[in-house]
């Protein structure tokens, strides 16, 4: 199967640059997996498609304000550091710019010296290891100095950084938001729980690899990035009980899907687990747990549109995307949503 099999034509003006005023007022396209039939609704109508006894699984990872703008010292040239993975002992794996001037030994300063750093190494692929020095708690320093690491296709400055967090975000560690969850409000979650749908949480810290295009012609040649994820005993129990009673397990976002499918037994049984996953889901994959998926519209030729195609059928998905373009849906992180059922 070729990467080009997952291409669709998207006018640039349909890429959402800012979040809409009310989270759950975004549009919702429903796609029936068996027939390919679509419906045009709004996200606040999602409960219409849920049933008592189902469970909804959400990713409660919180985005780190991981983009730091500073200067190289001495000299004062501008630099940019994007935190990716905490490697311990105040050292992070980072993307840096300008790369040619930030080799081992380079010293950096942020916030008039409130935060300083030194490049201490380089890893395979070109990312740098950067060791930071600061007073107090690192996350509090980042809250003051860091910016949200918005995807490269968003050119507008984000006015309210909480709009790039889900309302239930809890565990800090993502380099990008689990965007399917951005549509939920506390009131909508309460309505869903009140109707008898179980609500459970997993944690997957989203890496920037989620935006990395597939450059290989054959999709099997693509090397998937790794992300850290956790499923608690409470959530595992909720899923197992839901399945035992004949309910559906509905994932909010590809991140929740990847977490469950990474740790599920072949018979779909879930157990509590934590670790790194590099699961790569494309057409031909047999889903062990997921029965429904709430997700945004994804980039052409990305691993995410491959995952969605594995679940709902490539022809169905591309046909639905073409209709979304015709109907002027908003695409990507701040865009509209789909419910695959």
């Amino acid at each position: 199967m070729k990467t080009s099999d997952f291409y669709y034509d998207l006018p640039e003006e349909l890429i959402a640059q800012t979040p809409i005023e009310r989270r759950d007022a975004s549009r919702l396209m429903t796609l029936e997996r068996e027939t390919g039939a679509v419906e045009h609704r709004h996200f606040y109508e999602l409960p219409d498609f849920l049933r008592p006894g189902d469970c909804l699984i959400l990713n409660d990872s919180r985005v780190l304000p991981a983009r730091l703008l500073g200067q190289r010292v001495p000299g004062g040239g501008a630099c940019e550091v994007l935190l990716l993975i905490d490697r311990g002992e105040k050292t992070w794996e980072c993307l840096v710019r300008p790369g040619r001037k930030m080799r081992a030994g380079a010293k950096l300063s942020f916030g008039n010296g409130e935060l300083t750093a030194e490049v201490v190494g380089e890893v395979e692929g070109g990312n740098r290891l950067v060791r930071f020095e600061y007073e107090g708690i690192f996350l509090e320093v980042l809250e003051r100095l860091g910016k949200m690491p918005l995807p490269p296709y968003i050119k507008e400055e984000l006015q309210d950084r909480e709009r790039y967090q889900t309302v239930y975000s809890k565990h800090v560690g993502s380099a990008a938001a689990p965007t399917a969850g951005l549509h939920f409000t506390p009131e909508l979650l309460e309505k869903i729980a009140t109707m008898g749908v179980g609500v459970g949480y997993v944690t997957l810290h989203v890496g920037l690899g989620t935006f990395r295009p597939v450059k290989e012609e054959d999709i099997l040649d693509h090397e998937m990035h790794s992300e850290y994820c956790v499923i608690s005993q409470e959530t595992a129990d909720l899923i197992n009980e839901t399945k035992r009673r004949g309910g559906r397990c509905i994932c909010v976002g590809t991140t929740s899907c990847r977490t469950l499918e990474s740790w599920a037994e072949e018979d779909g049984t879930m157990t509590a687990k934590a670790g790194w996953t590099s699961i790569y889901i494309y057409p031909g994959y047999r889903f062990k747990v997921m029965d429904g998926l709430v997700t945004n519209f994804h980039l052409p030729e990305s691993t995410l549109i491959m995952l969605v195609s594995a679940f709902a059928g490539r022809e169905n998905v591309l046909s639905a995307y073409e209709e979304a373009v015709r109907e002027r849906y908003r695409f990507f992180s701040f865009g509209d949503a789909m419910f695959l059922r």
Side-chain angles (χ1 to χ4, degrees):
M1 192 166 282
K2 297 190 182 305
T3 300
S4 57
D5 292 336
F6 300 91
Y7 178 80
Y8 67 94
D9 191 34
L10 178 68
E12 192 172 340
E13 67 268 19
L14 296 185
I15 301 173
Q17 294 296 311
T18 55
I20 61 173
E21 187 173 343
R22 203 180 101 201
R23 288 176 183 261
D24 64 355
S26 54
R27 296 168 77 183
L28 177 69
M29 174 187 280
T30 68
L31 172 61
E32 176 61 55
R33 292 190 291 148
E34 293 299 318
T35 65
V38 301
E39 243 185 280
H40 303 290
R41 305 286 283 270
H42 287 89
F43 200 84
Y44 55 76
E45 297 176 286
L46 179 65
D48 292 352
F49 302 99
L50 305 178
R51 301 193 286 262
D54 289 343
C55 70
L56 195 67
I57 305 299
L58 307 105
N59 179 11
D60 63 8
S61 181
R62 187 168 173 81
V63 184
L64 195 68
R67 185 168 170 247
L68 291 164
L69 305 177
Q71 292 79 39
R72 306 190 306 277
V73 290
C79 69
E80 180 177 337
V81 171
L82 189 61
L83 307 176
L84 297 179
I85 302 171
D86 184 356
R87 296 301 188 188
E89 298 182 343
K90 296 186 175 181
T91 301
W92 285 71
E93 184 176 329
C94 304
L95 283 173
V96 300
R97 282 197 283 185
R100 58 190 171 79
K101 296 198 174 179
M102 294 174 68
R103 303 293 181 186
K107 292 182 168 51
L108 319 169
S109 176
F110 309 91
N112 295 317
E114 181 181 350
L115 177 66
T116 60
E118 180 180 353
V119 179
V120 296
E122 189 170 333
V123 298
E124 188 177 349
N127 291 348
R128 305 296 196 270
L129 295 175
V130 181
R131 186 173 60 234
F132 293 91
E133 296 297 335
Y134 49 89
E135 295 290 332
I137 300 170
F138 190 51
L139 289 180
E140 292 180 358
V141 175
L142 284 181
E143 286 293 339
R144 291 192 296 273
L145 302 182
K147 293 179 175 289
M148 281 296 171
L150 294 177
Y153 48 74
I154 293 179
K155 313 300 182 188
E156 298 278 338
E157 192 73 29
L158 184 62
Q159 300 303 314
D160 176 7
R161 65 167 61 184
E162 281 302 308
R163 289 308 306 272
Y164 197 55
Q165 305 279 15
T166 62
V167 297
Y168 48 81
S169 63
K170 187 175 182 182
H171 301 291
V172 177
S174 279
T179 53
L182 295 178
H183 305 280
F184 286 89
T185 64
E187 294 78 16
L188 183 59
L189 285 168
E190 185 177 351
K191 180 178 181 179
I192 288 169
T194 300
M195 63 182 283
V197 174
V199 178
Y201 297 91
V202 295
T203 303
L204 181 140
H205 293 317
V206 187
L208 283 182
T210 192
F211 300 117
R212 198 177 81 189
V214 178
K215 295 179 180 177
E216 293 76 15
E217 184 178 356
D218 188 326
I219 67 170
L220 297 181
D221 294 333
H222 177 70
E223 188 175 337
M224 196 68 175
H225 61 288
S226 294
E227 294 165 310
Y228 187 78
C229 59
V230 180
I231 179 166
S232 67
Q233 189 63 57
E234 181 181 9
T235 298
D237 291 344
L238 170 64
I239 294 168
N240 292 336
E241 184 63 16
T242 298
K243 292 285 197 176
R244 189 182 68 78
R245 294 182 174 178
R248 298 174 300 169
C249 177
I250 296 163
C251 291
V252 174
T254 56
T255 60
S256 298
C257 166
R258 295 204 301 275
T259 302
L260 299 193
E261 294 294 326
S262 292
W263 303 142
E265 303 292 340
E266 282 302 313
D267 65 357
T269 303
M270 298 299 311
T271 54
K273 196 165 180 182
W276 292 87
T277 180
S278 55
I279 190 170
Y280 184 15
I281 297 175
Y282 49 84
Y285 179 84
R286 184 183 66 81
F287 288 84
K288 301 188 284 287
V289 186
M290 186 171 76
D291 302 303
L293 176 65
V294 177
T295 188
N296 280 19
F297 292 89
H298 301 295
L299 277 73
E301 301 184 330
S302 64
T303 60
L304 302 182
I305 196 171
M306 292 174 190
L307 184 155
V308 171
S309 297
F311 187 62
R314 187 181 71 89
E315 293 80 6
N316 287 345
V317 168
L318 290 178
S319 174
Y321 271 52
E322 287 168 6
E323 180 154 348
V325 169
R326 286 195 299 272
E327 294 292 327
R328 311 294 291 176
Y329 273 68
R330 287 158 47 93
F331 279 68
F332 305 162
S333 296
F334 287 138
D336 295 313
M338 296 183 82
F339 179 39
L340 312 176
R341 59 197 181 98

